[in-house]
Amino acid sequence: QVQLEESGGGLVQAGGSLRLSCAASGRTFSTYAMGWFRQAPGKEREFVAAISMSGDTTSYADSVKGRFTISRDNAKNTVYLQMNSLKPEDTAVYYCTARRFLVSRVEGAYDYWGQGTRITVSS
């Protein structure tokens, strides 16, 4: 069982930056691939980024590639999402998620979800 807690959300102007953190419980964090998804108002939840157990493999949605960076610190049981050059269309609730072993871009592949943290990007 893994419990996830996101932090770092808030209000930011377009072009600004934010860093989200996701703290995971448990002693087996390094055996989980981690992901970030987001859900904008009135839209379905969508994939943002994912990172492998060791951190050597990452995957990004085309809409955030080059602007967002996912990373992890297994010693701290934490995964991060650095978001730069934010746009109003990045406004959403961002969810941290975990699954055993393999990276995935598919929402249904993930077993554990945080409660989400809201990002609002003003124009």
Side-chain angles (χ1 to χ4, degrees), residues 25-40:
S25 65
R27 295 176 290 179
T28 58
F29 179 71
S30 62
T31 67
Y32 286 85
M34 302 296 296
W36 288 96
F37 285 72
R38 68 185 181 186
Q39 187 168 20

Side-chain angles (χ1 to χ4, degrees), residues 22-34 51-57 71-80 101:
C22 173
S25 65
R27 295 176 290 179
T28 58
F29 179 71
S30 62
T31 67
Y32 286 85
M34 302 296 296
I51 190 166
S52 62
M53 293 184 290
S54 64
D56 60 353
T57 300
S71 61
R72 66 189 295 161
D73 185 338
N74 285 345
K76 296 182 178 180
N77 281 17
T78 302
V79 63
Y80 305 97
F101 307 127

Side-chain angles (χ1 to χ4, degrees), residues 36-38 45-48 94-95 97 107 110 113:
W36 288 96
F37 285 72
R38 68 185 181 186
R45 192 153 55 183
E46 64 177 3
F47 170 77
V48 175
Y94 284 71
Y95 297 91
T97 187
E107 180 179 352
Y110 286 86
W113 293 81

Side-chain angles (χ1 to χ4, degrees), residues 4-9 20-23 33-51 68 70 79-81 83 90-99 104 106-107 110 112-119:
L4 304 172
E5 184 173 1
E6 305 95 337
S7 61
L20 304 183
S21 299
C22 173
M34 302 296 296
W36 288 96
F37 285 72
R38 68 185 181 186
Q39 187 168 20
K43 296 187 177 181
E44 294 186 350
R45 192 153 55 183
E46 64 177 3
F47 170 77
V48 175
I51 190 166
F68 290 12
I70 188 171
V79 63
Y80 305 97
L81 186 67
M83 304 184 293
D90 294 318
T91 294
V93 176
Y94 284 71
Y95 297 91
C96 175
T97 187
R99 71 185 302 262
S104 176
V106 178
E107 180 179 352
Y110 286 86
Y112 303 101
W113 293 81
Q115 293 298 307
T117 186
R118 185 175 301 275
I119 307 296

